Amino acid sequence: MADKAIKIGLLWHSPNSGNLGVGALTVANMAIARAVATEMGLTPRFTIIGMRDDGAAYVSPAEADIFVMTTRTLLDPRGALRVIGDQDCILDIGAGDSFADIYGLRRFMFLWLTKMQALAARTPLVLSPQTIGPFTRSPYRQLASVALKRADSVLARDQASLDALRGLAPAANGRLSVDVAFALPYADRSAERGGPRLRLGVNVSGLLFNEAQSGRNRFGLSVDYADLMRRFVGRAAACDDVEVHLIPHATAEAYAWDDDGRIADKLASEFPTTVRVGNFTNPSEAKSYISSLDFLVAGRMHACIGAFSSGTPVVPVAYSRKFSGLFGLLGYKWMIPTSGVDADGALEYLEDCLERRQELAADIVAGMHEVDDLLGVYRAELRRTFEAAAA
């Protein structure tokens, strides 16, 4: 197989999403697939297939071809079907958590139909590590079951997703793995930790903050997220030996409701001693910065993963089961849960975690051993898929 090219379609990835979590999945999955292919003597040729995003590109044309999915290109036989059928294999990551019924029928059908196109074209289909479900109603459950049991392999990134897979498609070729973003490349800046002032990072989710202020609370958090973040930042910023860094991880110029940057600006105005970190241009830059912090509190899951995989003690503020599923898999208990705690209790908990950050760091070291084993499961599936495709 030496020097043989292999065409790898990256379905539901993004080369320029303002949500750096989606970007982290893309860059990390490319790095993992490239390493596996290279070890096998194969030269990977990537094509990213996904929706149009308006962020700055962090995957260059030299690294991957780009195919933008629209209703027209999805339904046109010369569009998505042709591109998908032209690949040697498809790695479908479902934007991390989008193969579910929680985002509505239109989004689900986009993800489902492209899987069907890969199967119709007889292109090997691997569902890269992702959240599976929830699928709680018809016709989502029936349609999802068809796709899952016919895929060549399905990698769940937490036990709850693997259980959902087993319930929907018991005969599916399913494996337990972990989020590929743990393998996101970055520049290690951990030497900047441990200075005279503690570098405390706070990633405030624009989505959760705006939900709390609106009173809608569609994620069902028992804590008032906006109140908690204001109080935590305010207390930390008042300490002479603490430097608070306000860190955006998802920015959306066209969608203010989901924009971390606007909330970082708001909090920087309210608490002038804080450091408003600039919007990052790519996911690796964000992870590199996070690696310089002594501690992080974050509402975006992939900001938490960036911290965990760079050794930065982190407390996630959970808003869905994907948090407890992922970090529970790694034996990491430090988290604000979605329910069962009020703002006073959560604030006390965060301050206690800050004091006990060395314990968090030790648990991260143990958890990363589990990450390595679980990513090994995915790499083995890729080797099997690439070998069959190259043959």
Side-chain angles (χ1 to χ4, degrees):
M1 292 188 291
D3 298 324
K4 183 173 181 177
I6 181 170
K7 293 182 288 184
I8 302 171
L10 300 172
L11 187 58
W12 302 116
H13 294 64
S14 174
N16 65 328
S17 174
N19 185 331
L20 295 182
V22 177
L25 294 174
T26 301
V27 176
N29 209 19
M30 289 177 67
I32 293 170
R34 184 183 296 110
V36 171
T38 301
E39 288 171 4
M40 297 175 65
L42 298 170
T43 301
R45 303 282 186 245
F46 294 109
T47 299
I48 296 174
I49 307 165
M51 304 295 282
R52 187 183 304 279
D53 285 308
D54 59 2
Y58 35 75
V59 177
S60 72
E63 295 175 290
D65 293 328
I66 310 297
F67 180 82
V68 177
M69 186 74 68
T70 64
T71 302
R72 184 183 63 78
T73 59
L74 175 66
L75 300 177
D76 186 347
R78 298 164 298 176
L81 179 62
R82 178 189 61 79
V83 173
I84 290 171
D86 191 45
Q87 308 303 311
D88 293 315
C89 62
I90 292 290
L91 307 183
D92 177 350
I93 208 160
D97 67 352
S98 289
F99 194 47
D101 62 14
I102 58 176
Y103 295 112
L105 183 61
R106 182 177 185 274
R107 188 166 182 175
F108 171 81
M109 290 306 299
F110 265 79
L111 274 85
W112 185 80
L113 284 169
T114 49
K115 292 171 176 57
M116 292 299 103
Q117 289 178 332
L119 295 169
R122 298 187 177 182
T123 304
L125 173 64
V126 175
L127 271 60
S128 296
Q130 61 189 273
T131 301
I132 306 297
F135 297 106
T136 59
R137 52 207 165 107
S138 300
Y140 297 97
R141 290 184 60 84
Q142 293 83 355
L143 294 173
S145 176
V146 171
L148 292 168
K149 68 185 179 184
R150 293 182 61 191
D152 286 76
S153 59
V154 182
L155 286 300
R157 66 181 181 184
D158 57 62
Q159 186 62 50
S161 291
L162 186 63
D163 293 343
L165 170 64
R166 295 297 186 219
L168 286 165
N173 178 23
R175 299 284 188 277
L176 179 63
S177 186
V178 75
D179 197 297
V180 297
F182 283 99
L184 177 68
Y186 73 106
D188 185 1
R189 294 177 53 182
S190 59
E192 298 175 43
R193 301 175 193 158
R197 300 183 70 196
L198 187 140
R199 292 169 61 86
L200 170 60
V202 185
N203 161 240
V204 180
S205 164
L207 178 62
L208 299 183
F209 195 96
N210 287 316
E211 283 284 323
Q213 289 208 309
S214 73
R216 190 166 66 169
N217 192 23
R218 63 183 158 119
F219 297 105
L221 274 63
S222 62
V223 64
D224 183 322
Y225 179 82
D227 177 55
L228 173 63
M229 290 294 98
R230 274 200 172 97
R231 290 170 66 187
F232 180 67
V233 170
R235 284 198 191 187
C239 299
D240 292 336
D241 59 348
V242 175
E243 185 176 76
V244 178
H245 296 242
L246 300 172
I247 298 175
H249 203 263
T251 54
E253 289 295 327
Y255 189 39
W257 194 261
D258 198 34
D259 188 1
D260 298 357
R262 287 176 170 86
I263 304 304
D265 290 337
K266 181 191 293 287
L267 292 175
S269 176
E270 293 178 22
F271 306 103
T273 62
T274 59
V275 177
R276 197 305 200 182
V277 180
N279 295 354
F280 299 109
T281 60
N282 61 70
S284 293
E285 182 185 20
K287 182 175 177 178
S288 300
Y289 194 97
I290 288 170
S291 75
S292 76
L293 301 173
D294 293 294
F295 190 82
L296 177 70
V297 175
R300 298 288 184 177
M301 192 174 82
H302 282 95
C304 299
I305 290 174
F308 196 100
S309 56
S310 62
T312 298
V314 58
V315 178
V317 182
Y319 64 88
S320 78
R321 72 167 168 84
K322 67 183 181 181
F323 282 82
S324 58
L326 174 64
F327 291 105
L329 181 65
L330 306 179
Y332 193 74
K333 64 183 180 181
W334 311 96
M335 184 182 306
I336 301 291
T338 57
S339 61
V341 62
D342 61 15
D344 289 338
L347 183 60
E348 182 180 345
Y349 180 76
L350 288 176
E351 292 176 343
D352 181 56
C353 289
L354 184 57
E355 291 298 318
R356 301 170 65 183
R357 58 187 178 277
Q358 295 306 319
E359 293 181 52
L360 277 67
D363 286 351
I364 285 173
V365 171
M368 282 304 296
H369 291 302
E370 186 71 18
V371 167
D372 290 341
D373 291 342
L374 291 167
L375 283 178
V377 173
Y378 180 45
R379 292 187 181 102
E381 285 297 306
L382 291 181
R383 280 191 290 272
R384 183 186 64 80
T385 300
F386 292 171
E387 184 175 10

